């Protein structure tokens, strides 16, 4: 997948421009980010795309030295399950 990075959004589209998956996040007053939404197109569900997308998001946060929380339930569970791989991006407020 080719990933697109915009302010507060990481996403991928197919060759026709249809949204395949996305994660959105907002900056909090303390400079951290909150992952508030994740989406995977129904044609890709059950294929590990959401997990791959979260890896891309986590690597982006690592590169940008951002700390994250998540109000999106999927992202929150993913962060919990991967805290050993990505301890440097986890907010203490998590």
């Amino acid at each position: 997948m080719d990933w697109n990075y915009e302010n507060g959004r990481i996403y991928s589209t197919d060759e026709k421009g249809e949204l395949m998956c996305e994660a959105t996040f907002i900056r909090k007053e303390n400079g951290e980010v909150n992952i508030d939404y994740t989406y995977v197109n129904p044609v890709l569900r059950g294929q590990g795309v959401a997990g791959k997308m979260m890896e891309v998001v986590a690597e982006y946060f690592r590169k940008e030295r951002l700390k994250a929380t998540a109000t999106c339930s999927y992202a929150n569970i993913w962060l919990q399950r991967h805290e050993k791989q990505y301890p440097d991006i986890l907010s203490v407020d998590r």
Side-chain angles (χ1 to χ4, degrees), residues 23-25 34-39 50 53-54 57 61 68-82 89-90 94:
T24 63
F25 50 92
N34 171 40
I35 306 167
D36 61 344
Y37 178 74
T38 57
Y39 167 80
M53 177 180 64
M54 285 301 300
V57 169
F61 290 168
T69 60
T71 52
C72 166
S73 59
Y74 177 82
N76 188 39
I77 290 167
W78 191 93
L79 289 173
Q80 290 176 26
R81 290 182 180 162
H82 296 86
I89 70 162
L90 300 178
R94 188 175 66 82

Side-chain angles (χ1 to χ4, degrees), residues 9-89:
R9 181 179 184 221
I10 298 173
Y11 66 99
S12 181
T13 59
D14 67 7
E15 60 280 347
K16 297 175 190 167
E18 184 175 353
L19 183 64
M20 293 288 103
C21 59
E22 81 174 324
T24 63
F25 50 92
I26 55 174
R27 291 212 182 236
K28 302 185 330 186
E29 290 181 13
N30 64 3
E32 296 181 346
V33 293
N34 171 40
I35 306 167
D36 61 344
Y37 178 74
T38 57
Y39 167 80
V40 174
N41 190 299
V43 300
L44 296 177
R45 290 185 185 157
Q47 299 178 39
V49 173
K52 175 59 179 162
M53 177 180 64
M54 285 301 300
E55 289 175 12
V56 170
V57 169
E59 290 297 332
Y60 173 79
F61 290 168
R62 179 174 277 166
K63 179 181 160 224
E64 297 295 320
R65 296 194 163 143
L66 295 170
K67 299 282 187 186
T69 60
T71 52
C72 166
S73 59
Y74 177 82
N76 188 39
I77 290 167
W78 191 93
L79 289 173
Q80 290 176 26
R81 290 182 180 162
H82 296 86
E83 64 184 331
K84 288 187 172 133
Q85 294 101 313
Y86 297 101
D88 52 317
I89 70 162

Side-chain angles (χ1 to χ4, degrees), residues 1 6 25 51 58 87:
M1 294 187 115
E6 293 179 359
F25 50 92

